[in-house]
Each structure stands twice: as structure tokens, then as C-alpha cells.
């Protein structure tokens, strides 16, 4: 790959001179206001977060952030979201570790909004990791039913699972496959998101060092893969279903040209719908590129340049399969959850009685033994795909292969809110020590509650995870070492032992 321009350092923003010497100049005639585009790329990008609807309202989150001294402003176009100051370090805050919010760039939140989601739909997220859009879709489905989140990379699936665990998402099965080889015998979906791997030109504000590596050769390498993925998505969509194709790149070769080829091949079997979102400024999709006329319907796509909404860049197309097209009726059928219910029941009774959980708690979930390590739970009506075989369904909530058995952090975050026993409420200093995995002394009134052994630890009523209260008068944090990059709200640095907080999404 040719290095066309001086590289921006990872920390600095791109300068006008660097942009003028880069491959971005091939878009100059497409952009309504080149100077505004260049100026936007020169500014750092302010992070956005959305409130986890199962844990807090956006007004509640805004009020909490104000008390914590974190500046946040509502985003009119995205009612559940807030924009923070560019220097905000999101993963460092206790409320992030408690799964009250998820960090996701403004433009990255848009494709899921165009899927026209409703509970009861069966949805496939074909290229899902690290899972910001998966979590958005999961909550739009009411955290019930079936969403299949696939990615080709097993490491990235782990990051995705970490995000779903922190947020308490229980209606997702994950699969790890090349989505262009997804088996048709697994049946069709009501909604599909194809957030395709791309050259990521639209992420320059977050990763300025990309600038020197841009060029049409990236698009030439990626476009055939994107076309294969989109062709497979069309096959997997049920008649009457909706498919959203998105990328975070400006390159027409990865956007309109991919769609143009697939629309031509599908003929009457695929429609492109005009896409728009109130309060989001965008340019129409291209209907001509380098002298070549494209399908005129492509004007209905959304091309979002960074200066339009002070965001990153994005491209979105909304497609629909006409209801008259013949369906692949194989579909998903419920599979018997793995594990022996008679073996599982005593574990569930044990957890419910120790933590004083409501009597009907397990009727809300599908509990299964997926591994020897312990128990998973998912939404009661979740229906994992038979093919391809899922990596996991729902979240791993109870470890049974240790003595004594213990709820996982994901389990505590999900179920601990309803715990009426063996629970301690931490003060701010204890909270910070807890998140740094340090031991600390309990206050006498915390011991008076008689909560010895494993307890659910919370702060301001929001569960942080599990702890052990030792009779020696010490509280031991069981916060996972791999999550302990989320340290004190007071702006503490990630611990050296575990540098990565749960991944934010682009
Ligand atoms: C743009 S990222 C997806 C971001 C994600 N949708 C989110 O919102 O967090 C593209 C993803 O596609 C995955 N990928 C690349 N090729 C793939 C393929 N053939 N099948 C499935 N996933 C693929 C990459 O591993 C990467 O995680």
C-alpha cells in the first residue's frame, strides 16, 4: 500500500496540509463544503454514550453524570444518548463498569435505528463485534426473543460478549463464522444488519494515524468481500424483511458500487428504500461515480460526512425484500436447552435463597448448562440457531465448578439488583478500592447486616459485582481482573495488571 501523506500521530488530529496531501482529495467534488469537512477532521471527536434502558433512564443517567462532575449534553436526534466532552475517558467510571451506559459513536448508533425493530423479530447481526449495534438491537427487541450476533474473529467475539455481559443482554446467541459462508439451512431472518468490514475512512477523527494508509486500493481489496456478504444477507432475509447495509467509510467502491451490483443482480427481488432520520443531516447516495451512471435509487442512501453532525463518517442503505418472493421456510425451531433440569434446579434454589431473590425469578429465563464451568441464562423465549452452532447463548451467570460456587460479575449485574440478602452497599472510597481489586475494611453497620461470605456489592443502589466479606474484617473484591481497567471515578489510570476496560464500539 502506498503511503500518500505525512502520518498524523495517534494523539494529534489531522492538519489541513496532511488532508490536502492525502487520498481523501479524491472526494473533493462529492463534498458540499470541503473546508468544513477539513475543519471537522481537525477536531477531536467527542464520545457519545447511551443509557442502558434496563438499568437507568437517560434523564437519570444525565443527573448522575452531573453529580459525578461529568459534562454531558443530550443529543436531540438520539433520545437515549448523551454527548460527553472530547477528553472524557468513559471506561474509567464506576457507572460504566456497572453497565449503566455504553459508549458508541453518534453515527454508529444510526444503522440499528433504520432496522424498524420490534419485539418478536428474529434478527441477525452478521459482522457484530465489538457489539455496540448488537446491544442496541437487543434492547430494541426488549431483551427478549432471538438475536444472533456473528463475527469472523473469535477474539472480537470475546470483546462483544464482555460488552453484552456488562450490559445484561440476554437475548443473544453468538456465532463465529465467515458470514459469507453462513448456512442457508439455518433459515431466514426478519431483520439483518450487515455492518460490513471496510476501510474505515470515517473513523479518522478517532484514529488520525489512518490518514497515511488511505487509498482506493483498500476499497478494491474489500469490495468483493462486501459484495459476497451482501449477497448472502439477501439470501438470509425473509420475504417482507428488512436489511441494513452500513460502513464507516467514504469510498464509493465499498458503498454505492457494492449496492449497485447487488441491486442489478437481484432485479425485482430486492428494493432500496429511501433512508432518513429526523435531526440527522446527510448527503444523498451517489448515482454516478467516475463517469459511470449508477442505479438512481441509490440517492436514497445516507452519506454522512463528519462536518454534517460533528461526528465520524458513515454510509447507510436500507433494503427490503418484497413479500411476494418465495420464502425459505426452514426457519429456526426451539432447541432443547443443554443440561439436565434436575441437576440445574438445586443450584438455582441455592442462588435464590442465599441472595433473597424473588420466587418467580427463574421463570423469566432459560437456564442451561453450556459448559462444565457453570450455568448460562438467556431470555425465556430465546431460540438459539441450530446451525451454525452458537459459541454461547445468553450470559454466563453462575460458576458451579468452584467451592463455594459463585455468581459471576455478569450474573451479579443482572440479578443482584433484586437481591435482598447478602448484599453490601459501598461508599465512594470503598467503591474505588473495589474496582481496583483491592481489599478494604467494612464499616460496622455493613457487618451488622450479617452478610459474611460472598455478597453482592453495590454503590448508590447500582450493582458493581461480587465481593467476599471475611470474618477477619476484610472485604475482598471479586471484580474481574480483565475488567479492572474500569478504575476509580476520580480519573484513576487503568491498572497495569489489566489495561483494557470493556471495549467501546465504533
Ligand atoms: C465494522 S466492524 C463491526 C462493528 C460492529 N457492528 C459494532 O457495531 O460493534 C466489522 C466486523 O466484521 C468482522 N468481519 C470481517 N469479515 C467478516 C466475515 N467474512 N464474516 C463475519 N464477520 C466479518 C470483523 O471481525 C469486524 O469485527
Amino acid at each position: 500500500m502506498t503511503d500518500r501523506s505525512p502520518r498524523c500521530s495517534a494523539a494529534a488530529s489531522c492538519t489541513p496540509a496532511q488532508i490536502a496531501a492525502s487520498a481523501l482529495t479524491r472526494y473533493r467534488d462529492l463534498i458540499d463544503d470541503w473546508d468544513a469537512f477539513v475543519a471537522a477532521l481537525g477536531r477531536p471527536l467527542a464520545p457519545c454514550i447511551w443509557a442502558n434502558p434496563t438499568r437507568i433512564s437517560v434523564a437519570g443517567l444525565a443527573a448522575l453524570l452531573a453529580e459525578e462532575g461529568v459534562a454531558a449534553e443530550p443529543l436531540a436526534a438520539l433520545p437515549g444518548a448523551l454527548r460527553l466532552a472530547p477528553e472524557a475517558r468513559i471506561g474509567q467510571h464506576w457507572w460504566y463498569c456497572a453497565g449503566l451506559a455504553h459508549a458508541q459513536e453518534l453515527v454508529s448508533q444510526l444503522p440499528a435505528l433504520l432496522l424498524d425493530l420490534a419485539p418478536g423479530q428474529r434478527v441477525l447481526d452478521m459482522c457484530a463485534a465489538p457489539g455496540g449495534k448488537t446491544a442496541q438491537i437487543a434492547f430494541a427487541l426488549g431483551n427478549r426473543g432471538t438475536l444472533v450476533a456473528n463475527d469472523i474473529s473469535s477474539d472480537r467475539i470475546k470483546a462483544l460478549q464482555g460488552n453484552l455481559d456488562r450490559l445484561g443482554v440476554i437475548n443473544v446467541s453468538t456465532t463465529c463464522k465467515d458470514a459469507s459462508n453462513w448456512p442457508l439451512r439455518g433459515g431466514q431472518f426478519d431483520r439483518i444488519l450487515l455492518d460490513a468490514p471496510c476501510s474505515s475512512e470515517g473513523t479518522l477523527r478517532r484514529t488520525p494515524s489512518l490518514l497515511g494508509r488511505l487509498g482506493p486500493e483498500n476499497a478494491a481489496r474489500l469490495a468483493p468481500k462486501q459484495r459476497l456478504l451482501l449477497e448472502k444477507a439477501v439470501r438470509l432475509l425473509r420475504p417482507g424483511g428488512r436489511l441494513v447495509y452500513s460502513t464507516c467509510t467514504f469510498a464509493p467502491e465499498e458503498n454505492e458500487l457494492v449496492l449497485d451490483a447487488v441491486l442489478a443482480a437481484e432485479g425485482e427481488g430486492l428494493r432500496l428504500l429511501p433512508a432518513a432520520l429526523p435531526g440527522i443531516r446527510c448527503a444523498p447516495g451517489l448515482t454516478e461515480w467516475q463517469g459511470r451512471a449508477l442505479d438512481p435509487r441509490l440517492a436514497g442512501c445516507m452519506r454522512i460526512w463528519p462536518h454534517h453532525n460533528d461526528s465520524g463518517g458513515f454510509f447507510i442503505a436500507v433494503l427490503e425484500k418484497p413479500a411476494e418472493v418465495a420464502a425459505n421456510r426452514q426457519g429456526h425451531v426451539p432447541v432443547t436447552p443443554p443440561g439436565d433440569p434436575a441437576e440445574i434446579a438445586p443450584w438455582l434454589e441455592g442462588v435464590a435463597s442465599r441472595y433473597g431473590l424473588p420466587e418467580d425469578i427463574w421463570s423469566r429465563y432459560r437456564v442451561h448448562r453450556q459448559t462444565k464451568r457453570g450455568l448460562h441464562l438467556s431470555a425465556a423465549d430465546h431460540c438459539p440457531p441450530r446451525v451454525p452452532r452458537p459459541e454461547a447463548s445468553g450470559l454466563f451467570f453462575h460458576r458451579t465448578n468452584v467451592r463455594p460456587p459463585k455468581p459471576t460479575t455478569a450474573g451479579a449485574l443482572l440479578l443482584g439488583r433484586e437481591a435482598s440478602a447478602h448484599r453490601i452497599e459501598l461508599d465512594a472510597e470503598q467503591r474505588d478500592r473495589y474496582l481496583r481489586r483491592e481489599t478494604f475494611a467494612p464499616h460496622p453497620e455493613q457487618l451488622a447486616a450479617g452478610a459474611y461470605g460472598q455478597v453482592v456489592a453495590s454503590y448508590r443502589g447500582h450493582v458493581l459485582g461480587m465481593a467476599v466479606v471475611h470474618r477477619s474484617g476484610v472485604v475482598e473484591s471479586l471484580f474481574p481482573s480483565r475488567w479492572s481497567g474500569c478504575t476509580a471515578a476520580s480519573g484513576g489510570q487503568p491498572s497495569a495488571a489489566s489495561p483494557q476496560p470493556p471495549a467501546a464500539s465504533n
Side-chain angles (χ1 to χ4, degrees), residues 22 32 36 39 79 100 132 134 158 167 210 226 268 276 306 358 394 407 409 464 474:
S22 78
D32 52 343
L100 303 189
T134 308
K158 285 186 193 125
L167 294 166
L210 260 183
Q226 291 155 338
E268 296 293 304
T409 302
L464 299 173
V474 163

Side-chain angles (χ1 to χ4, degrees), residues 244-270:
V244 168
Y245 176 84
S246 59
T247 72
C248 57
T249 199
F250 308 127
E253 298 86 349
E254 300 178 59
N255 295 322
E256 288 91 345
L257 267 64
V258 172
L259 285 152
D260 187 68
V262 174
L263 283 167
E266 296 294 327
E268 296 293 304
L270 190 65

Side-chain angles (χ1 to χ4, degrees), residues 87-352:
E87 62 280 5
R89 298 182 65 189
I90 294 166
Q92 306 299 309
H93 294 278
W94 69 266
W95 43 267
Y96 199 76
C97 302
L100 303 189
H102 187 67
Q104 192 180 21
E105 227 269 85
L106 182 154
V107 280
S108 195
Q109 296 182 41
L110 305 181
L113 302 181
L114 288 159
L115 271 172
D116 187 30
L117 294 161
Q121 292 164 345
R122 189 172 292 280
V123 185
L124 173 63
D125 187 355
M126 286 178 89
C127 299
K133 297 180 192 75
T134 308
Q136 261 186 300
I137 297 169
F139 290 135
L141 297 176
N143 211 6
R144 294 184 276 126
T146 304
L147 166 57
V148 181
N150 176 72
D151 202 276
I152 199 167
S153 155
S154 60
D155 282 347
R156 287 175 67 87
I157 283 285
K158 285 186 193 125
L160 173 140
Q161 189 66 57
N163 278 321
L164 303 186
D165 286 353
R166 182 176 51 82
L167 294 166
V169 171
I170 57 168
N171 57 348
V172 172
S173 283
T174 54
T175 55
C176 187
K177 254 200 103 55
D178 177 346
S180 55
N181 289 331
W182 187 278
L184 293 174
R185 69 183 190 285
Q188 292 181 317
F189 293 85
D190 301 308
R191 297 286 181 270
I192 298 179
L193 175 63
L194 172 51
D195 188 36
C198 68
S199 54
S200 306
E201 293 170 341
T203 66
L204 268 174
R205 288 180 74 180
R206 214 183 42 199
T207 318
S209 54
L210 260 183
L211 189 68
R213 287 178 264 142
L214 303 184
E217 60 278 10
N218 295 328
R221 178 174 51 82
L222 286 158
K225 291 185 192 173
Q226 291 155 338
R227 180 170 171 178
L228 280 178
L229 287 166
L230 184 56
E231 285 168 350
K232 179 53 65 93
V234 173
R235 301 271 96 69
L236 290 170
L237 187 67
R238 74 146 167 86
R242 182 177 283 206
L243 157 61
V244 168
Y245 176 84
S246 59
T247 72
C248 57
T249 199
F250 308 127
E253 298 86 349
E254 300 178 59
N255 295 322
E256 288 91 345
L257 267 64
V258 172
L259 285 152
D260 187 68
V262 174
L263 283 167
E266 296 294 327
E268 296 293 304
L270 190 65
R271 291 189 191 127
L272 188 117
L273 304 183
L277 286 165
I280 297 295
R281 199 180 141 204
C282 65
L286 307 182
T287 52
E288 187 261 316
W289 174 244
Q290 294 179 335
R292 181 179 147 196
L294 306 174
D295 190 320
R297 292 173 295 175
L298 288 165
C301 301
M302 293 174 81
R303 245 183 190 273
I304 301 171
W305 299 99
H307 58 290
H308 283 161
N309 305 279
D310 197 11
S311 64
F314 230 75
F315 175 88
I316 310 175
V318 180
L319 299 152
E320 198 176 68
K321 188 182 270 190
E324 319 61 85
V325 173
N328 166 0
R329 300 236 169 255
Q330 282 165 298
H332 296 257
V333 280
V335 285
T336 312
D340 173 3
E343 183 264 334
I344 291 172
W347 295 110
L348 301 186
E349 281 161 28
V351 176

